[in-house]
């Protein structure tokens, strides 16, 4: 049986990181545009996708600053969505 790359190796692949960060960025920019044009609640879901993507990038890069800011943003967004 051929050797399969580990899951960790998959997430450490620079191509995966490249795709995750750009997809998350495009989704988050779409969230800004949806907010500007008052397209609710789609804007929240787009922001949620972007924040989750960048939180994943923090884990992929093992960057605690990126993890912290996006974990706090995720918590604030979920609390806001749950309350209203």
């Amino acid at each position: 049986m051929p050797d399969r790359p580990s899951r960790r190796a998959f997430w450490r692949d620079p191509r995966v990181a490249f795709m995750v960060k750009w997809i998350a960025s495009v989704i988050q920019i779409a969230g800004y545009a949806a907010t500007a044009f008052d397209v609710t609640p789609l804007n929240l879901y787009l922001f949620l996708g972007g924040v989750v993507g960048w939180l994943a990038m923090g884990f992929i890069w093992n960057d605690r600053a990126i993890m912290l800011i996006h974990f706090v943003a995720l918590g604030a967004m979920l609390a806001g969505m749950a309350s209203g």
Side-chain angles (χ1 to χ4, degrees):
M1 181 176 278
D3 290 332
R4 287 185 356 180
S6 69
R7 288 183 191 172
R8 178 172 280 235
F10 172 78
W11 288 109
R12 298 288 182 214
D13 184 343
R15 294 173 296 184
V16 172
F18 178 86
M19 292 302 294
V20 170
K21 74 179 178 181
W22 281 105
I23 290 170
S25 294
V26 168
I27 290 171
Q28 202 158 5
I29 290 167
Y32 288 118
T35 300
F37 292 105
D38 200 28
V39 182
T40 57
L42 178 62
N43 63 335
L44 294 175
Y45 297 120
L46 290 168
F47 277 127
L48 193 61
V51 166
V52 168
W54 273 102
L55 181 61
M57 282 308 305
F59 282 104
I60 290 170
W61 286 341
N62 196 26
D63 187 323
R64 290 187 180 133
I66 291 176
M67 285 188 262
L68 174 65
I69 192 67
H70 290 92
F71 183 72
V72 170
L74 179 62
M77 287 183 66
L78 292 176
M81 290 170 82
S83 70

